[in-house]
Amino acid sequence: MSDLEQRLKNKTAVIGIVGLGYVGLPLAVAFSQAGFKVLGFDIQPRRVELVNKGEPYIADIDSESLSALVANNLLQGTTVQSQLKEVDAICICVPTPLTRTREPDLSYVTRESEELSRYLQPGQLVVLESTTYPGTTRQIVLPILERSGLKGGQDFHLAYSPERVDPGNKKYSIRNTPKVVGGIDSSSTRLAELLYQQVAEVVVPVSSPEVAEMTKVFENVFRSVNIALVNELTQPCEKMGISVWEVIDAASSKPFGYMPFYPGPGIGGHCIPLDPYYLASKAREYDFHTRFIELAAEINERMPYYVTSRIADALNTRGKSLNNARVLVLGVAYKKDVEDIRESPSVKLIQLLQEKGTNVSYNDPYIVKIQISEDMLSSVELTEECLSSADCVVIATDHSYYNYQHIADKASLVFDARGATRKLDNNNIIRL
Ligand SMILES: NC(=O)c1ccc[n+]([C@@H]2O[C@H](COP(=O)([O-])OP(=O)(O)OC[C@H]3O[C@@H](n4cnc5c(N)ncnc54)[C@H](O)[C@@H]3O)[C@@H](O)[C@H]2O)c1
């Protein structure tokens, strides 16, 4: 049995988590709750400071658990990368955004790999968790790490394991979400499997990092394509006077071969809008054009425009136009019950409305301020006066916090882009 295997089994291994964001912080908490000492690395001193004070900045982590872990010395945040020397296994959870031209931006991954190559120790296990295209672990991370003089698979272990965290999901956590792992060789896979078995009930080993990388992008492309399909279906449904929501509910009664996806004002977050481009870009290197994937992205990205035109139609039924109308947007987070606005379609929607001369205000219980182009908007209080004085109240994100019956009763016109009001029968509601 290798030293690392022994240390993982008797929980004396020290785990390093690099990047304490939506993915990294919950993972750091999970390992420390499993009894491991965890060092959490971030380049943002503020995040490290908050972690060390036991103050979470991510809604899924409660401050009591975090403070207890910090107080018991099980979790410590640091900005000092040389401390990577002190850990046995390292999970890299840094961002993988797109460039302005929608190409994969692996600069965080390469920069961290360069840092790590300076401190890499024999016997360490490195696992990349950031979402990326197939080939990143072996073709990009491995050669950088080998600048250390150590050889992958021989002196250190390297694997890829995609993160499947779903912020705001109360049912599925790290523990009960199966974790896929693929190493550059069999011992890397075995050690990565053993690592994640400490925090996840089911670990699924695959034959290579490339399979694990492709699995992650496939999962997100699957969502993107299916959301696009239902977003497209919404449009002829509207022309035919059919409620797409009722169609989805009826189709959901089929116990096999169907899975519901819902339309909306677009897609957001750090994954679904970005990951398909990672695969599309890589496929182009192989002279392959992923038409399905790019079409889905295009349909989803058009949704804020479609919703804007539907709001204009709704106002038109009241003899009003977007120009000078007062529109109150409810929800600017990219999905319900989270405080994340990355790639949020609400931001695009507000921008488009403002471009048409609409006077837009917003409310979001999770987001106090939001930058829209040059302007900084602040969340308004959701008073009766604020609901009744708007020419149209737009439900852009269906937070559980909202009382939809109350909203529909007080507003003169509601445009519901999320189907949050589908059980209500007020005749001032227009749904996507
Ligand atoms: N957010 C999700 O729901 C989700 C789900 C599955 C997968 N992912 C993937 O996980 C990865 C991380 O996403 P996230 O949402 O946690 O991002 P995030 O922006 O919330 O967190 C990333 C953190 O990494 C830090 N960081 C950047 N470079 C660093 C470095 N060199 N050293 C130390 N810290 C560094 C940043 O300061 C930030 O705190 C991305 O690849 C994303 O696609 C995200």
Side-chain angles (χ1 to χ4, degrees), residues 165-180:
V165 68
D166 183 18
N169 193 325
K170 302 272 177 262
K171 188 171 174 200
Y172 290 106
S173 61
I174 291 174
R175 176 130 316 270
N176 59 0
T177 305
K179 194 95 171 85
V180 172

Side-chain angles (χ1 to χ4, degrees), residues 39-107:
L39 271 181
F41 297 81
D42 207 288
I43 48 172
Q44 295 185 53
R46 179 75 189 136
R47 288 202 153 178
V48 167
E49 193 186 315
L50 286 170
V51 168
N52 289 337
K53 280 189 189 157
E55 290 176 23
Y57 39 81
I58 283 168
D60 290 343
I61 309 282
D62 70 278
S63 68
E64 237 171 78
S65 318
L66 187 62
S67 319
L69 295 171
V70 173
N72 290 328
N73 251 333
L74 281 166
L75 175 57
Q76 192 199 332
T78 179
T79 53
V80 183
Q81 296 265 349
S82 60
Q83 285 191 271
L84 286 164
K85 280 183 188 166
E86 300 165 22
V87 306
D88 298 287
I90 299 153
C91 305
I92 303 178
C93 311
V94 296
T96 42
L98 295 176
T99 62
R100 284 174 75 85
T101 53
R102 308 225 136 229
E103 290 297 322
D105 173 4
L106 284 178
S107 60

Side-chain angles (χ1 to χ4, degrees), residues 75-337:
L75 175 57
Q76 192 199 332
T78 179
T79 53
V80 183
Q81 296 265 349
S82 60
Q83 285 191 271
L84 286 164
K85 280 183 188 166
E86 300 165 22
V87 306
D88 298 287
I90 299 153
C91 305
I92 303 178
C93 311
V94 296
T96 42
L98 295 176
T99 62
R100 284 174 75 85
T101 53
R102 308 225 136 229
E103 290 297 322
D105 173 4
L106 284 178
S107 60
Y108 291 95
V109 172
T110 53
R111 243 178 280 143
E112 184 49 34
S113 304
E114 281 158 14
E115 282 283 353
L116 187 50
S117 71
R118 290 190 196 108
Y119 306 113
L120 200 65
Q121 299 297 307
Q124 279 182 327
L125 165 67
V126 178
V127 186
L128 179 65
E129 290 222 5
S130 304
T131 306
T132 183
Y133 53 70
T136 307
T137 307
R138 204 188 298 270
Q139 292 161 16
I140 293 177
V141 177
L142 178 62
I144 301 177
L145 295 186
E146 288 188 336
R147 288 182 203 158
S148 62
L150 300 176
K151 182 118 188 68
Q154 189 180 300
D155 305 317
F156 68 93
H157 313 281
L158 178 62
Y160 181 78
S161 178
E163 186 47 66
R164 284 172 162 167
V165 68
D166 183 18
N169 193 325
K170 302 272 177 262
K171 188 171 174 200
Y172 290 106
S173 61
I174 291 174
R175 176 130 316 270
N176 59 0
T177 305
K179 194 95 171 85
V180 172
V181 297
I184 57 163
D185 63 348
S186 58
S187 74
S188 296
T189 306
R190 191 169 39 80
L191 284 166
E193 192 181 356
L194 184 60
L195 171 71
Y196 289 108
Q197 278 167 348
Q198 311 304 314
V199 288
E201 284 159 12
V202 178
V203 179
V204 183
V206 294
S207 61
S208 66
E210 291 77 16
V211 170
E213 288 160 335
M214 185 62 110
T215 302
K216 175 65 186 179
V217 265
F218 172 58
E219 287 167 14
N220 283 353
V221 163
F222 174 83
R223 282 187 62 73
S224 170
V225 166
N226 280 286
I227 293 168
L229 179 63
V230 76
N231 274 338
E232 187 176 68
L233 184 76
T234 302
Q235 301 174 41
C237 272
E238 192 259 323
K239 296 272 180 234
M240 296 177 203
I242 296 168
S243 160
V244 72
W245 305 100
E246 196 180 346
V247 172
I248 296 167
D249 286 346
S252 304
S253 64
K254 188 179 179 191
F256 50 87
Y258 179 79
M259 179 188 287
F261 286 86
Y262 297 95
I267 49 175
H270 187 31
C271 295
I272 316 288
L274 313 189
D275 303 348
Y277 286 101
Y278 269 74
L279 184 53
S281 159
K282 191 68 184 173
R284 280 199 294 276
E285 272 181 35
Y286 293 83
D287 276 345
F288 193 85
H289 207 69
T290 51
R291 284 179 296 160
F292 227 51
I293 295 174
E294 284 166 61
L295 177 64
E298 190 188 315
I299 292 173
N300 291 330
E301 283 165 21
R302 291 304 302 170
M303 285 311 283
Y305 294 86
Y306 177 67
V307 170
T308 305
S309 73
R310 293 284 309 276
I311 297 168
D313 293 347
L315 284 166
N316 205 36
T317 62
R318 306 289 166 107
K320 292 181 176 152
S321 65
L322 284 176
N323 192 15
N324 282 329
R326 277 161 306 171
V327 169
L328 171 65
V329 172
L330 299 184
V332 291
Y334 82 89
K335 69 169 184 174
K336 74 189 282 186
D337 303 341

